[in-house]
Amino acid sequence: MAKRQIILDTETTGINPREGHRIIEIGCVELVNRRFTGNNYHVYINPEREIEAEAVAVHGITNERLAHEPKFRDIAKSFFDYIQGAELVIHNAAFDVGFIDHEFARLTPALPPVQQYCAVLDTLKLARELHPGQKNNLDALCRRYDINNSHRTLHGALLDAEILADVYLLMTGGQVSLNLAAKQEHSEQGENAPATLVRNSKLKVIRASADEMLAHESRLDLVQKKGGSCLWRN
């Protein structure tokens, strides 16, 4: 079954929805089986309240910019339909999910909390597990995984979702490979020296197409007919 993931980010009027702060931008990037589909979601929202100056300094979005954008209630159904049933991949998920739940609760009738119809994966928590004791904000992860984010002068929901998608794929798609330098050192130190393995997180993830999988299964059918048992199916 295809796995659908939505890399999601929001921008807001402030940091606490309990103080009446609202979402002003939503950006989503869709992955299906770890492939970009191009079926992304992006919207600016009129928050019906003032944006704090500290927030404007972060994302550069002003009330004047949003004056003619739709209200959240106008986009709620399309957004709900888009994310429903997907796994949401979010950096510091508690922040964004808290705001989305707050917006859904304001509706009449209210929509249920996000985690009733979506799984949520927090990449900040994942990064802290992979890189304990290090900075794990998005800029730090871009440096660590050699992702060019020089065009990110201000935060933006869609831009940050696109960057996070690259970070997430590299964090979770690495493979273990033998470091050639370590291999040489191992041979010089003798047979009993421990080999060193390094995590290569920049390998591109390539999955078989439907036609390739069909050809593979046909080949396994032939193997099974000849030998009575197929190791790859056990």
Side-chain angles (χ1 to χ4, degrees), residues 32 56 66 69-70 72 134 137 147 153 158 166 184 191 208 214:
V32 174
V56 175
L66 302 175
E69 298 294 344
F72 188 89
Q134 301 182 51
N137 60 37
I147 294 171
T153 55
L158 183 59
D166 290 335
Q184 176 65 29
E191 292 296 326
L214 184 61

Side-chain angles (χ1 to χ4, degrees), residues 29-230:
V29 173
E30 184 185 63
L31 300 177
V32 174
N33 291 338
R34 298 178 62 84
R35 292 175 181 266
F36 294 95
T37 67
N39 178 30
N40 299 339
Y41 181 95
H42 183 224
V43 64
Y44 289 102
I45 300 165
N46 183 337
E48 303 179 90
R49 60 153 290 157
E50 287 298 310
I51 304 170
E52 288 190 343
E54 293 86 350
V56 175
V58 171
H59 49 59
I61 304 172
T62 64
N63 284 100
E64 290 76 19
R65 164 68 182 81
L66 302 175
H68 301 292
E69 298 294 344
K71 313 293 194 302
F72 188 89
R73 59 181 174 271
D74 300 322
I75 62 90
K77 186 179 186 305
S78 65
F79 175 58
F80 177 86
D81 291 344
Y82 178 78
I83 65 174
Q84 188 173 13
E87 179 182 54
L88 304 184
V89 179
I90 308 172
H91 204 66
N92 190 17
F95 178 87
D96 301 87
V97 171
F99 266 96
I100 295 169
D101 285 348
H102 175 73
E103 294 286 359
F104 282 168
R106 289 174 55 95
L107 299 170
T108 305
L111 287 172
V114 165
Q115 290 184 305
Q116 288 191 19
Y117 52 87
C118 289
V120 177
L121 188 156
D122 188 347
T123 52
L124 178 58
K125 180 181 178 181
L126 176 62
R128 286 171 174 168
E129 292 171 353
L130 293 173
H131 312 291
Q134 301 182 51
K135 287 185 177 180
N136 287 300
N137 60 37
L138 198 53
D139 287 334
L141 291 172
C142 285
R143 291 191 295 271
R144 188 169 301 138
Y145 289 97
D146 196 24
I147 294 171
N148 181 8
N149 69 335
S150 58
H151 53 304
R152 186 183 184 245
T153 55
L154 292 169
H155 288 227
L158 183 59
L159 173 61
D160 287 0
E162 291 170 342
I163 293 172
L164 180 59
D166 290 335
V167 167
Y168 167 72
L169 289 173
L170 289 177
M171 279 202 302
T172 59
Q175 297 178 16
V176 175
S177 62
L178 188 63
N179 182 293
L180 293 180
K183 185 177 180 181
Q184 176 65 29
E185 181 181 352
H186 170 70
S187 65
E188 291 173 356
Q189 292 177 358
E191 292 296 326
N192 295 324
T196 301
L197 296 179
V198 296
R199 182 176 177 84
N200 183 351
S201 58
K202 298 179 183 179
L203 296 180
K204 184 178 180 180
V205 178
I206 301 175
R207 296 185 179 274
S209 67
D211 289 341
E212 289 168 336
M213 288 298 296
L214 184 61
H216 175 69
E217 290 299 323
S218 296
R219 177 60 63 180
L220 294 185
D221 288 340
L222 291 174
V223 173
Q224 195 158 358
K225 286 179 181 178
K226 291 182 178 180
S229 176
C230 180

Side-chain angles (χ1 to χ4, degrees), residues 2-28:
K3 182 175 183 179
R4 181 171 182 258
Q5 296 173 297
I6 302 297
I7 318 299
L8 183 149
D9 188 60
T10 64
E11 299 299 338
T12 64
T13 63
I15 63 172
N16 192 344
R18 293 180 181 178
E19 296 176 357
H21 287 292
R22 307 287 303 277
I23 294 175
I24 59 174
E25 184 187 9
I26 301 172
C28 300

